Amino acid sequence: MSIHIERLAASNKAHLWHPFTQMKDYTSGEPLIIERGQGVKLYDVHGRAYYDGFSSVWLNVHGHNVPELNQAIVDQLGQVAHSTLLGMANIPAIELAEKLARIAPRGLNKVFFSDSGATGVEIAIKMAFQYWHNLGVRGKSSFITMNQAYHGDTIGAVSVGGIPLYQEVYRPLLFPSHAIPYPSAYPHNDGEASAGAMETTLNALRTLLEARSHEIAALLVEPIVQGAAGILVMPPGCLKAIAELCRQHQVLLIADEVATGFGRTGAMFACDLEAVAPDLMVVGKGLTGGYLPVAATLATDEIYNAFYADYEAQKTFFHGHSFTGNPLGCAVALASLKLFEERDVLANVRKGAALVEQKLAVLQDHPHVGDIRQKGLMIGIELVRDRTTRKAYRWEERIGVRTAMRARELGMLTRPLGNVIVFMPPLASTERELADMCDILISAIRDVTEGASSV
Ligand SMILES: *Cc1c(COP(=O)(O)O)cnc(C)c1O
């Protein structure tokens, strides 16, 4: 190792605190330090290449170091790097707001910018709450969420989340929400289980709404695919039915499209798959092609109009972030959306998704694969100790972590969700690249589970 790399590794250990990481484990190994990216690959400081098999945690769209995206940032940098949206505007923010309103599900005509998915969710929560307040409706102050939901890591976003591991410690800080079951067919995957799960969800929602809709401001949902829960896919028609129940009971629908938005599922937004038009929609991650931290909360005119009043009425939305509407971020988001059209990224996702499904079919009967879930280029492979009994691996076996490490040795990066191996390649990946990545994934799963079956 060169002196330079040794020094970086030592500083990493001494000063950098990594997210979602037990530092005691992490600092005992040799760190992976990325130096550059090109296309769908990342390169570490030793010059080793890795496929970005999880799109740098579900963000990347067109690959890394894309000339058109780089140029958009350089061009904007020659104008101004940042200027606020508090009481004034900037050119890329205006153009991006117009563009988002045009491509979003029907009715979402107003765009409020922030800088991460979690802040976008906080904004949606506050807007929904204040919407009812501004209308003079009292008591609608709580939220409905799905079990195992993930909406980000700030206190408000954790409050409407549903993953106990991320919530328990902070419980005293969280506001209570109403949770309903997520319609997951696993571990009894067949059409009947899927219909049964959907029934259970809709019945729970109907019962809750009939009893308490007068105290509920909104329902939050990750449309079609629940990401951090382990890539769980809703049965067809479920999102539409949820949306209809909310509308019937005057509860707002907030779609968290942070993970699913911008082509990931094969449609521009997952809501489009069932022609659902939410009242509020949150986007982030892929909005800038995965380049810069920009998020947005989209609202209908009806929501916006409840805040539109004489100054003295105090109906203003008193919320904002320093870097809201950052011109560099908005410029690269515009360039990314242009590439979506020029390169027909959605068609590429659908073609790629079919290929991945075909490739991964060889795992269908693998004794340690319990379930393969997929929507577009969002894939989760659930590893189990025993396929027939669906007996899970013990948590301490870290089967997911070990499989991801093996994939890294074979040249692909990903990060598991417990025992679920996540595969979310950049949307621009070619068929050749996808086939290569699938081969690595299959080998890693075989190597680790077949070697580990005696553990
Ligand atoms: C990642 C994610 C978030 C949080 O976004 P950050 O930018 O990490 O704050 C919110 N909701 C969903 C569905 C996500 O996948």
Side-chain angles (χ1 to χ4, degrees):
M1 252 200 293
S2 79
I3 298 287
H4 174 60
I5 296 172
E6 264 176 53
R7 167 127 183 76
L8 276 174
S11 293
N12 178 48
K13 190 166 173 171
H15 300 296
L16 199 52
W17 191 345
H18 294 251
F20 275 103
T21 301
Q22 174 45 258
M23 295 305 289
K24 185 174 176 185
D25 285 343
Y26 175 78
T27 52
S28 67
E30 195 207 322
L32 171 63
I33 305 174
I34 299 298
E35 190 170 65
R36 63 192 182 86
Q38 187 62 53
V40 298
K41 288 187 174 174
L42 291 165
Y43 296 80
D44 72 8
V45 286
H46 303 284
R48 285 188 293 243
Y50 307 88
Y51 280 114
D52 188 352
F54 66 153
S55 296
S56 297
V57 194
W58 318 3
L59 312 169
N60 193 277
V61 175
H62 308 287
H64 298 279
N65 209 357
V66 181
E68 292 85 346
L69 300 186
N70 295 2
Q71 194 59 46
I73 295 175
V74 170
D75 290 348
Q76 180 56 40
L77 200 51
Q79 298 295 318
V80 63
H82 187 69
S83 157
T84 186
L85 289 190
L86 271 66
M88 59 194 82
N90 68 65
I91 297 166
I94 295 171
E95 290 177 351
L96 182 57
E98 182 188 336
K99 179 80 189 167
L100 288 174
R102 193 165 339 123
I103 64 173
R106 123 187 80 81
L108 295 167
N109 200 32
K110 304 291 181 190
V111 180
F112 194 101
F113 285 116
S114 61
D115 43 37
S116 71
T119 54
V121 166
E122 297 282 340
I123 288 161
I125 290 171
K126 287 173 74 175
M127 278 181 179
F129 177 86
Q130 194 177 342
Y131 166 77
W132 295 112
H133 175 92
N134 284 358
L135 288 186
V137 178
R138 294 292 172 260
K140 279 172 93 67
S141 58
S142 61
F143 294 84
I144 302 176
T145 67
M146 311 288 264
N147 282 338
Q148 300 293 118
Y150 179 78
H151 297 293
D153 297 325
T154 52
I155 294 294
V158 174
S159 294
V160 292
I163 299 182
L165 182 64
Y166 307 157
Q167 291 185 306
E168 276 325 308
V169 183
Y170 310 107
R171 190 69 68 191
L173 304 179
L174 307 180
F175 59 78
S177 296
H178 305 281
I180 59 169
Y182 187 86
S184 174
Y186 187 78
H188 303 288
N189 275 313
D190 51 45
E192 218 172 292
S194 176
M198 177 161 152
E199 267 305 289
T200 307
T201 296
L202 296 179
N203 285 339
L205 178 58
R206 199 175 295 111
T207 307
L208 180 59
L209 288 171
E210 280 166 6
R212 327 187 73 148
S213 64
H214 59 282
E215 41 183 87
I216 296 166
L219 176 146
L220 280 97
V221 64
E222 291 161 83
I224 310 286
V225 186
Q226 204 177 36
I231 318 293
L232 306 181
V233 183
M234 279 185 182
C238 192
L239 180 67
K240 184 104 190 153
I242 289 172
E244 257 148 43
L245 279 172
C246 286
R247 201 154 314 271
Q248 280 164 20
H249 289 87
Q250 304 205 311
V251 162
L252 299 176
L253 179 67
I254 304 173
D256 177 352
E257 291 257 11
V258 173
T260 49
F262 303 102
R264 185 56 63 187
T265 66
M268 196 48 144
F269 300 101
C271 283
D272 297 340
L273 293 169
E274 297 194 355
V276 164
D279 301 287
L280 290 154
M281 182 173 96
V282 186
V283 292
K285 290 196 168 106
L287 168 56
T288 57
Y291 257 57
L292 285 170
V294 178
T297 306
L298 280 71
T300 59
D301 286 322
E302 192 182 336
I303 304 258
Y304 175 86
N305 289 338
F307 292 75
Y308 190 89
D310 292 332
Y311 181 73
E312 301 73 27
Q314 298 201 338
K315 290 186 172 179
T316 306
F317 188 51
F318 289 110
H319 186 110
H321 299 280
S322 302
F323 283 98
T324 293
N326 174 256
L328 296 176
C330 292
V332 75
L334 281 163
S336 169
L337 289 170
K338 195 157 161 244
L339 289 187
F340 261 93
E341 287 161 22
E342 287 172 6
R343 297 181 180 175
D344 202 351
V345 172
L346 297 183
N348 196 58
V349 172
R350 290 192 284 261
K351 203 167 57 159
L355 176 112
V356 168
E357 189 180 347
Q358 216 174 39
K359 286 284 291 182
L360 295 183
V362 300
L363 290 174
Q364 213 81 59
D365 298 318
H366 190 277
H368 298 292
V369 171
D371 197 16
I372 303 174
R373 298 184 283 267
Q374 179 180 1
K375 197 77 194 173
L377 287 177
M378 274 183 113
I379 297 107
I381 302 171
E382 176 125 12
L383 302 182
V384 287
R385 172 173 285 283
D386 185 329
R387 178 187 163 72
T388 26
T389 62
R390 314 251 185 205
K391 190 172 179 324
Y393 279 105
R394 285 194 320 275
W395 175 76
E396 314 86 83
E397 290 176 80
R398 301 192 201 203
I399 197 77
V401 174
R402 282 161 48 212
T403 304
M405 284 313 278
R406 180 66 186 140
R408 184 195 289 189
E409 285 167 8
L410 297 173
M412 185 177 85
L413 303 177
T414 186
R415 192 178 159 88
L417 295 160
N419 296 341
V420 178
I421 307 305
V422 174
F423 180 45
M424 278 208 221
L427 305 187
S429 304
T430 63
E431 289 188 274
R432 172 87 198 265
E433 289 162 340
L434 289 172
D436 249 12
M437 286 189 255
C438 287
D439 286 338
I440 292 176
L441 200 62
I442 293 162
S443 298
I445 288 171
R446 284 183 174 151
D447 290 353
V448 173
T449 59
E450 287 164 23
S453 56
S454 60
V455 172

